[in-house]
Amino acid sequence: MKFLAMLATVGLLTAGPAHAADDRLDWPLRPRPAVMRTFDAPAPNWNRGHRGVDLAATTGQPVYAAAAGTVVFAGELAGRPLISIAHPGGLRTTYEPVDAVVRVGQLVDAGSAVGRLRAGHPGCSAAACLHWGAMWGPASRADYVDPVGLVATTPLRLKPVDAPGRAPLAGAPR
């Protein structure tokens, strides 16, 4: 029995990040915000791109944790106030420009207030925007993802097999 328990523990410690369907997020602003600038994944990761989304908001608006996790950064980064939360399974979310009301090492629940939005965000046309990012893995080799695609209220849509102007897939019913 001890041997099996030890094998299970080793398996959990060496497993890669989970990408399960239940790893869904809540919106970090209330009410649901408008997306002012969409995600534009850089390829490869070190190239230019937009590694998150900009959400329309108001200065001083509360910002909430998108899921339960541990605060791993709360402070200034490159002159901008930023909060980063590590979630179970390897997902990390970031929020900027946000003045933190949390501290590093603090456990937060989904929907917990983590800070207040600061005015301005370069490249956003609204008076105040929250730049919200998500990534799998450590920042040094992160796989950036669109956080909007992880929101629980985002409908999942499949493209039709017979798209206009395209030949049907081989073997697909007509």
Side-chain angles (χ1 to χ4, degrees):
M1 282 296 197
K2 282 185 177 181
F3 180 72
L4 291 176
M6 186 174 68
L7 278 177
T9 302
V10 169
L12 287 173
L13 293 175
T14 59
H19 293 256
D22 62 350
D23 292 332
R24 304 294 288 197
L25 302 177
D26 291 332
W27 286 101
L29 297 172
R30 312 279 189 282
R32 179 182 173 164
V35 176
M36 302 302 290
R37 185 172 174 201
T38 60
F39 179 76
D40 179 21
N45 276 348
W46 60 84
N47 278 348
R48 294 180 66 119
H50 193 235
R51 293 167 177 82
V53 295
D54 291 342
L55 305 175
T58 59
T59 302
Q61 184 172 348
V63 176
Y64 304 98
T70 304
V71 177
V72 292
F73 187 86
E76 296 278 326
L77 181 67
R80 297 183 310 263
L82 178 116
I83 298 169
S84 182
I85 301 173
H87 307 283
L91 182 70
R92 183 177 294 211
T93 54
T94 57
Y95 313 80
E96 67 170 283
V98 178
D99 292 318
V101 297
V102 292
R103 67 188 185 295
V104 172
Q106 183 174 338
L107 299 176
V108 294
D109 291 324
S112 296
V114 296
R116 294 208 169 270
L117 189 64
R118 193 180 278 185
H121 177 65
C124 184
S125 58
C129 273
L130 174 67
H131 178 81
W132 182 37
M135 63 181 138
W136 292 106
S140 62
R141 58 180 198 275
D143 181 16
Y144 297 97
V145 294
D146 183 350
V148 174
L150 299 175
V151 173
T153 58
T154 301
L156 300 176
R157 300 182 198 274
L158 299 176
K159 293 184 178 182
V161 174
D162 267 4
R166 288 184 46 175
L169 296 174
R174 293 188 185 259

